[in-house]
Amino acid sequence: MSILCEIVTQERLVYSENVDMVVLDGEEGRMGILPNHSPLLTTIQVSEMRVIKEQQEETFAVGGGVLEVRPDCVTVLADVAEHADDIDLARAQAARARALSFLEEGGPSVPASPEVDSAITLALKRANVRLSVGANRSQKPAVAGLDDHD
Ligand code: ATP
């Protein structure tokens, strides 16, 4: 028995597969969703999301959004979402450095306010999740067959 898992952003359908289990951080913490789960609607945190299918695991960085669970379907309407393999680590590193320097020193043109602080804190969290998900992705050769040549 499986459950359809769809990850959708405003830009694209990121993932759509029948899977065995979905693990992600809902409003009240980490949750595992199996087929036949009771209906549920909740917000999701900026966090790692894991999908298990035939004992293989796929991971995604999810930047918040809404989760809808029905017995046969898990839908994540994500603000942003990237598969681990699609994460640009250098970009995430740069975003992290920017957010940290903004929090420590303030921005050049934006006056400090709780709203700005919380936006930067969220940006830092997104960058940290991307770095963590991206760093743990399966190690594949960047170019297939590279080792065949001297
Ligand atoms: P940045 O400052 O690097 O743009 P951000 O956190 O402000 O980071 P978002 O607003 O969350 O970026 O995302 C904008 C778009 O860029 C989305 O489509 C998101 O999936 C993509 N994106 C952001 N950072 C990365 C990354 N490190 N690797 C791959 N895609 C990314």
Side-chain angles (χ1 to χ4, degrees):
M1 189 178 230
S2 61
I3 187 164
L4 176 65
C5 174
E6 294 207 312
I7 307 173
V8 187
T9 68
Q10 272 191 335
E11 295 169 344
R12 66 197 173 102
L13 177 63
V14 177
Y15 183 83
S16 178
E17 295 276 340
N18 286 307
V19 305
D20 301 318
M21 186 178 183
V22 178
V23 180
L24 80 176
D25 288 355
E27 203 176 342
E28 289 174 12
R30 180 136 291 213
M31 52 195 292
I33 302 157
L34 294 165
N36 253 329
H37 197 286
S38 44
L40 172 75
L41 191 61
T42 184
T43 54
I44 48 174
Q45 300 178 32
V46 178
S47 60
E48 176 187 79
M49 172 174 172
R50 289 161 48 210
V51 172
I52 295 116
K53 177 179 180 177
E54 290 159 9
Q55 296 178 6
Q56 301 288 316
E57 188 172 281
E58 308 259 14
T59 57
F60 300 84
V62 178
V66 174
L67 166 74
E68 183 188 20
V69 182
R70 285 180 277 132
D72 59 348
C73 183
V74 175
T75 308
V76 172
L77 298 171
D79 294 339
V80 287
E82 301 100 35
H83 188 280
D85 290 346
D86 296 331
I87 291 173
D88 179 338
L89 287 171
R91 178 174 170 178
Q93 194 67 60
R96 181 175 192 275
R98 257 195 324 274
L100 280 176
S101 106
F102 205 107
L103 285 175
E104 279 158 19
E105 295 156 26
S109 57
V110 185
S113 70
E115 291 78 15
V116 170
D117 271 2
S118 98
I120 302 300
T121 303
L122 267 182
L124 177 60
K125 203 165 178 195
R126 282 198 301 278
N128 282 337
V129 168
R130 285 176 178 133
L131 287 170
S132 158
V133 170
N136 290 331
R137 66 187 160 211
S138 50
Q139 299 294 313
K140 294 176 194 157
V143 180
L146 197 63
D147 292 338
D148 297 339
H149 305 283
D150 290 326

